[in-house]
Structures are given as structure tokens and as C-alpha cells.
Coordinates of all heavy atoms in Angstrom, one line a residue:
H1134 N 25.3 92.6 20.1 CA 24.8 91.2 19.7 C 24.7 90.2 20.9 O 24.1 89.3 20.9 CB 25.7 90.5 18.7 CG 25.7 91.2 17.3 ND1 24.7 91.0 16.5 CD2 26.6 92.0 16.7 CE1 24.7 91.7 15.4 NE2 26.0 92.4 15.4
R1135 N 25.4 90.6 21.9 CA 25.6 89.7 23.0 C 25.0 90.3 24.4 O 25.3 91.6 24.7 CB 26.9 89.1 23.3 CG 27.6 88.4 22.3 CD 29.0 88.0 22.5 NE 29.6 88.8 23.5 CZ 30.3 88.2 24.5 NH1 30.4 86.8 24.7 NH2 31.0 88.9 25.4
I1136 N 24.2 89.6 25.2 CA 23.6 90.3 26.4 C 24.8 90.7 27.4 O 24.6 91.5 28.2 CB 22.6 89.3 27.1 CG1 21.9 89.9 28.2 CG2 23.2 87.9 27.6 CD1 21.0 90.9 27.7
Q1137 N 25.8 89.8 27.4 CA 26.9 90.2 28.3 C 27.6 91.6 28.0 O 27.9 92.3 28.8 CB 28.0 89.0 28.4 CG 29.2 89.4 29.4 CD 28.6 89.4 30.7 OE1 27.8 88.6 31.3 NE2 29.0 90.5 31.6
D1138 N 27.6 91.9 26.7 CA 28.1 93.1 26.3 C 27.3 94.2 26.7 O 27.7 95.3 27.1 CB 28.4 93.1 24.8 CG 29.4 92.2 24.3 OD1 30.4 91.9 25.1 OD2 29.4 91.8 23.0
I1139 N 26.0 94.1 26.7 CA 25.0 94.9 27.2 C 25.2 95.2 28.6 O 25.2 96.4 29.2 CB 23.5 94.7 26.8 CG1 23.3 94.8 25.3 CG2 22.5 95.5 27.5 CD1 23.5 96.2 24.8
R1140 N 25.4 94.1 29.3 CA 25.6 94.3 30.9 C 26.8 95.0 31.2 O 26.8 95.9 32.0 CB 25.7 92.9 31.5 CG 24.4 92.1 31.7 CD 24.6 90.8 32.5 NE 23.6 90.1 32.4 CZ 23.5 88.8 31.8 NH1 24.5 88.3 31.2 NH2 22.3 88.2 31.8
D1141 N 27.9 94.7 30.5 CA 29.1 95.4 30.6 C 29.0 97.0 30.2 O 29.4 97.8 31.0 CB 30.3 94.9 29.8 CG 30.6 93.5 30.2 OD1 30.3 93.0 31.4 OD2 31.3 92.7 29.4
K1142 N 28.4 97.2 29.2 CA 28.1 98.5 28.8 C 27.3 99.3 29.8 O 27.6 100.6 30.1 CB 27.4 98.7 27.4 CG 28.2 98.4 26.3 CD 27.3 98.5 25.0 CE 28.1 98.4 23.7 NZ 27.4 98.7 22.6
T1143 N 26.3 98.7 30.3 CA 25.4 99.5 31.3 C 26.2 99.7 32.5 O 26.1 100.8 33.1 CB 24.2 98.5 31.5 OG1 23.5 98.2 30.4 CG2 23.3 99.1 32.6
Q1144 N 27.0 98.7 32.9 CA 27.8 99.0 34.2 C 28.8 100.1 34.0 O 28.9 101.0 34.9 CB 28.5 97.7 34.6 CG 29.3 97.7 35.9 CD 30.0 96.5 36.2 OE1 30.2 95.6 35.4 NE2 30.3 96.4 37.5
V1145 N 29.6 100.1 32.8 CA 30.5 101.2 32.6 C 29.8 102.5 32.4 O 30.3 103.6 32.8 CB 31.3 100.8 31.3 CG1 32.2 101.9 30.9 CG2 32.2 99.6 31.6
L1146 N 28.6 102.5 31.7 CA 27.8 103.7 31.7 C 27.4 104.2 33.0 O 27.5 105.6 33.1 CB 26.6 103.4 30.7 CG 25.6 104.7 30.4 CD1 26.4 105.6 29.4 CD2 24.3 104.2 29.8
E1147 N 27.0 103.5 33.9 CA 26.8 103.9 35.2 C 27.9 104.6 35.9 O 27.7 105.8 36.6 CB 26.2 102.8 36.1 CG 24.8 102.5 36.1 CD 24.4 101.6 37.2 OE1 24.9 100.4 37.2 OE2 23.4 101.9 37.9
V1148 N 29.1 104.0 35.8 CA 30.3 104.5 36.4 C 30.7 105.9 35.8 O 30.9 106.8 36.6 CB 31.4 103.4 36.3 CG1 32.8 104.0 36.8 CG2 31.0 102.1 37.1
Q1149 N 30.7 105.8 34.5 CA 31.1 107.1 33.8 C 30.2 108.2 34.0 O 30.7 109.3 34.2 CB 31.4 106.8 32.3 CG 32.6 105.9 32.0 CD 33.9 106.6 32.5 OE1 34.5 106.2 33.6 NE2 34.4 107.5 31.8
G1150 N 28.9 107.9 33.9 CA 28.0 108.9 34.2 C 28.0 109.5 35.6 O 27.6 110.6 35.7
A1151 N 28.2 108.6 36.6 CA 28.2 109.1 38.0 C 29.3 110.2 38.2 O 29.2 111.1 39.0 CB 28.5 108.0 38.9
K1152 N 30.4 110.0 37.3 CA 31.5 111.0 37.5 C 31.0 112.4 37.1 O 31.8 113.3 37.5 CB 32.6 110.6 36.5 CG 33.3 109.3 36.9 CD 34.5 108.9 36.1 CE 35.2 107.6 36.5 NZ 36.3 107.3 35.6
V1153 N 30.1 112.6 36.3 CA 29.4 114.0 36.0 C 28.1 114.1 36.6 O 27.5 115.1 36.0 CB 29.6 114.2 34.4 CG1 31.0 114.3 33.9 CG2 28.7 113.2 33.7
G1154 N 27.6 113.4 37.4 CA 26.4 113.5 38.1 C 25.3 112.9 37.4 O 24.1 113.3 37.7
L1155 N 25.5 112.1 36.3 CA 24.3 111.4 35.7 C 24.0 110.1 36.2 O 25.0 109.3 36.6 CB 24.7 111.4 34.2 CG 24.9 112.6 33.5 CD1 25.3 112.4 32.0 CD2 23.7 113.6 33.5
K1156 N 22.8 109.7 36.2 CA 22.4 108.5 36.9 C 21.4 107.8 36.0 O 20.4 108.5 35.5 CB 21.8 108.7 38.3 CG 21.3 107.6 39.1 CD 20.8 107.9 40.4 CE 20.1 106.8 41.0 NZ 19.5 107.1 42.4
I1157 N 21.4 106.5 35.8 CA 20.4 105.7 35.1 C 19.2 105.6 35.9 O 19.2 105.0 37.0 CB 21.0 104.3 34.6 CG1 22.2 104.6 33.8 CG2 19.9 103.5 34.0 CD1 22.9 103.2 33.4
N1158 N 18.1 106.1 35.3 CA 16.8 105.9 36.0 C 16.1 104.5 35.5 O 15.7 104.4 34.3 CB 15.8 107.1 35.6 CG 14.6 106.9 36.2 OD1 14.1 105.9 36.8 ND2 13.9 108.2 36.4
V1159 N 16.2 103.5 36.4 CA 15.8 102.2 36.0 C 14.2 102.1 35.6 O 13.8 101.2 34.8 CB 16.1 101.2 37.2 CG1 15.2 101.4 38.4 CG2 16.0 99.8 36.6
T1160 N 13.4 103.0 36.3 CA 12.0 103.0 35.8 C 11.7 103.5 34.4 O 10.7 103.2 33.9 CB 11.2 103.8 36.8 OG1 11.6 105.3 36.8 CG2 11.4 103.4 38.2
K1161 N 12.7 104.2 33.8 CA 12.5 104.6 32.5 C 13.2 103.8 31.4 O 13.1 103.9 30.2 CB 13.0 106.1 32.3 CG 12.1 107.1 33.1 CD 12.6 108.4 32.9 CE 11.7 109.4 33.6 NZ 12.2 110.8 33.4
K1162 N 14.0 102.8 31.8 CA 14.8 102.0 30.9 C 14.1 100.7 30.5 O 13.3 100.1 31.4 CB 16.1 101.7 31.6 CG 16.9 102.9 31.9 CD 17.1 103.8 30.8 CE 17.6 105.2 31.2 NZ 16.9 106.2 30.5
K1163 N 14.4 100.3 29.3 CA 13.7 99.1 28.8 C 14.8 98.2 28.1 O 15.7 98.7 27.6 CB 12.6 99.3 27.8 CG 11.5 100.4 28.3 CD 10.7 99.6 29.3 CE 9.6 100.7 29.8 NZ 9.4 100.7 31.2
L1164 N 14.7 97.0 28.1 CA 15.4 96.0 27.5 C 14.7 95.2 26.5 O 13.5 94.8 26.8 CB 16.1 95.0 28.5 CG 16.9 93.9 27.9 CD1 18.2 94.4 27.3 CD2 17.3 92.9 29.0
I1165 N 15.1 95.1 25.2 CA 14.5 94.4 24.2 C 15.5 93.5 23.5 O 16.6 93.9 23.3 CB 13.6 95.1 23.3 CG1 12.8 94.4 22.2 CG2 14.6 96.1 22.4 CD1 11.8 95.2 21.5

């Protein structure tokens, strides 16, 4: 419901994903 929560989730997702070699591809991601 809140944009700050999406920011926090995105940041944590990047950190946790990096631990197993996954990376967010910014060119394929969209925000609505």
C-alpha cells in the first residue's frame, strides 16, 4: 500500500538475491 514499503522490499530483494547470484534487471522492471 505504501511506496516506502516497495522501496524497502526492492532493496532487501536485491541484497538477498545477490547472496545466491540473482540480480534485478532494471530494464525489465516496471512500477505501477
Side-chain angles (χ1 to χ4, degrees):
H1134 289 288
R1135 298 176 346 125
I1136 191 69
Q1137 186 57 48
D1138 292 336
I1139 291 293
R1140 283 191 194 111
D1141 294 343
K1142 282 182 174 187
T1143 304
Q1144 183 179 21
V1145 172
L1146 184 68
E1147 270 191 304
V1148 170
Q1149 291 299 100
K1152 290 179 180 179
V1153 292
L1155 299 177
K1156 182 178 172 186
I1157 295 175
N1158 183 339
V1159 73
T1160 62
K1161 294 182 178 181
K1162 303 304 163 220
K1163 307 291 181 224
L1164 172 68
I1165 190 167

